[in-house]
Amino acid sequence: MYILQKRIEEEGKVLNDDVLRVDMFINHQIDVALLNELGKEYKRRFEGYEITKILTIESSGIAIACITAQYFSVPVVFAKKHESRNMDSSVYQSEVYSFTKEKFYNIRVSKEFILPSDKILIIDDFLANGRAILGLMDIIEQAGASLTGVGVVIEKGFQDGGKKLREAGVKLESLAIIDSMENGNLKFR
Amino acid sequence: MYILQKRIEEEGKVLNDDVLRVDMFINHQIDVALLNELGKEYKRRFEGYEITKILTIESSGIAIACITAQYFSVPVVFAKKHESRNMDSSVYQSEVYSFTKEKFYNIRVSKEFILPSDKILIIDDFLANGRAILGLMDIIEQAGASLTGVGVVIEKGFQDGGKKLREAGVKLESLAIIDSMENGNLKFR
């Protein structure tokens, strides 16, 4: 997607061969006008697919999920990463390994918010090794709901998450795929 | 605000005299259509005020901040509560006490995202004792920026955050103010 690729080229910061910072428009400061363009693009790519709910994960998926949900007229549910005293005790839970933080963490969704009748679109900002999205898919399966597809903003094509999902038959729509960031040079697919 | 009050009455869960759960439309599942109505209401209440940026705090403020930002055509910046390996080291930081979690935590905003020229609207889901919002105001002051006002979805009128902010001369707009939740009965102001 051209406008996204352009923004990544102009404002993204390649910290090393693995880490791309897009704090200036997605992950810390949020360009809501850009997110609206991404939301419209997801709508175009999932036209004709049945979607009743968008599922994402806190914190950085929430913004893109909510803006996108406006184009599908469905609610958003976000999986929680952090313990919350006020959360319902009846939850679906999945363990996810974070390569960034080098530890396991649990993601949780209250059982009342995913129903067996739900057709779910997963939305997230990044796809690298795919662990977070596989965790969300695990929760959808526990709930007996259906996965319609996965939309990510930036796929790191040099890690294996995208390959794993496509081989599993998932309809994966990545709005930008980066095949390499070696020596600070971004190569898009 | 009538439609918000009605949703709180119909779907909110009073867990005890202090804790109200609105997980079904704001804090875990998000009703984006409702949030759009809240965003329009903030636009109405801050009509004529100069606003260049919306500042909120992860995670539960992000959704309402982003939907609201569409009506002001400004970017959102969210303060981070959790350590992030990829974050810029040059940050404004403030210590906040959480009564819910009974501990202090730091909130951080990269210096590049709040400029002295910024006129800031703080948006958050809840206002209770006001510690999180005072932390955000501290960060705005450190940056030499201006606070235009504060918009919260639900103010717990029986805690002193709202009183403190109004006494400090802050333009505070709470879309619902709850004066008491004793014995599970919600009383709105």
Side-chain angles (χ1 to χ4, degrees), chain A residues 19 21 23 27-30 32 36 53 58-59 70 75-78 80 82 85-86 101 110 113, chain B residues 19 21 23 27-30 32 36 58-59 70 76-78 80 82-83 85-86 101 110 113:
Chain A
V19 179
R21 220 154 47 84
D23 271 10
N27 278 334
H28 186 8
Q29 179 165 255
I30 299 166
V32 179
N36 268 287
K53 211 162 266 174
E58 68 177 343
S59 296
Q70 299 177 120
V76 169
V77 173
F78 66 90
K80 303 213 174 188
H82 306 286
R85 202 188 61 167
N86 301 344
K101 299 193 172 165
S110 286
F113 299 135
Chain B
V19 179
R21 221 154 47 86
D23 271 10
N27 278 333
H28 186 7
Q29 179 166 255
I30 300 167
V32 179
N36 268 288
E58 66 178 342
S59 296
Q70 298 177 120
V76 169
V77 175
F78 67 91
K80 304 213 176 188
H82 306 285
E83 293 288 345
R85 201 186 63 169
N86 300 346
K101 299 193 172 163
S110 285
F113 299 135

Side-chain angles (χ1 to χ4, degrees), chain A:
Chain A
M1 197 188 169
Y2 177 71
I3 58 161
L4 173 63
Q5 191 167 320
K6 196 157 165 282
R7 283 296 284 276
I8 297 169
E9 283 172 331
E10 285 172 2
E11 297 177 33
K13 285 180 191 161
V14 180
L15 297 194
N16 57 46
D17 290 358
D18 275 346
V19 179
L20 169 69
R21 220 154 47 84
V22 287
D23 271 10
M24 44 301 296
F25 55 100
I26 291 180
N27 278 334
H28 186 8
Q29 179 165 255
I30 299 166
D31 180 342
V32 179
L34 175 68
L35 260 47
N36 268 287
E37 294 308 312
L38 308 187
K40 284 178 213 167
E41 180 68 14
Y42 285 128
K43 176 67 181 168
R44 202 182 62 75
R45 296 196 187 192
F46 287 96
E47 194 67 66
Y49 286 80
E50 203 182 352
I51 289 163
T52 63
K53 211 162 266 174
I54 289 178
L55 180 65
T56 188
I57 190 164
E58 68 177 343
S59 296
S60 52
I62 295 175
I64 175 65
C66 286
I67 298 298
T68 299
Q70 299 177 120
Y71 297 98
F72 291 90
S73 303
V74 297
V76 169
V77 173
F78 66 90
K80 303 213 174 188
K81 274 181 185 172
H82 306 286
E83 292 289 345
S84 163
R85 202 188 61 167
N86 301 344
M87 195 169 175
D88 196 328
S89 55
S90 179
V91 296
Y92 300 112
Q93 184 166 315
S94 190
E95 199 180 56
V96 173
Y97 183 74
S98 165
F99 286 91
T100 314
K101 299 193 172 165
E102 294 171 350
K103 62 177 183 187
F104 284 94
Y105 62 97
N106 282 308
I107 59 174
R108 293 180 194 81
V109 177
S110 286
K111 290 189 175 176
E112 57 186 315
F113 299 135
I114 306 192
L115 308 176
S117 55
D118 275 324
K119 320 277 185 206
I120 294 180
L121 172 61
I122 292 174
I123 293 278
D124 207 359
D125 55 345
F126 272 100
L127 171 63
N129 53 72
R131 298 298 179 96
I133 286 170
L134 290 168
L136 293 173
M137 287 168 59
D138 178 28
I139 281 175
I140 291 169
E141 197 177 322
Q142 288 176 44
S146 313
L147 176 72
T148 299
V150 175
V152 299
V153 179
I154 301 172
E155 176 183 340
K156 291 178 177 168
F158 52 90
Q159 293 187 250
D160 67 349
K163 189 164 174 285
K164 276 188 286 186
L165 292 177
R166 289 186 185 93
E167 283 178 359
V170 171
K171 177 172 166 63
L172 168 65
E173 293 292 341
S174 305
L175 302 187
I177 303 177
I178 295 170
D179 271 334
S180 156
M181 312 197 297
E182 275 169 37
N183 309 314
N185 297 316
L186 287 165
K187 275 188 205 142
F188 291 90
R189 191 171 295 177

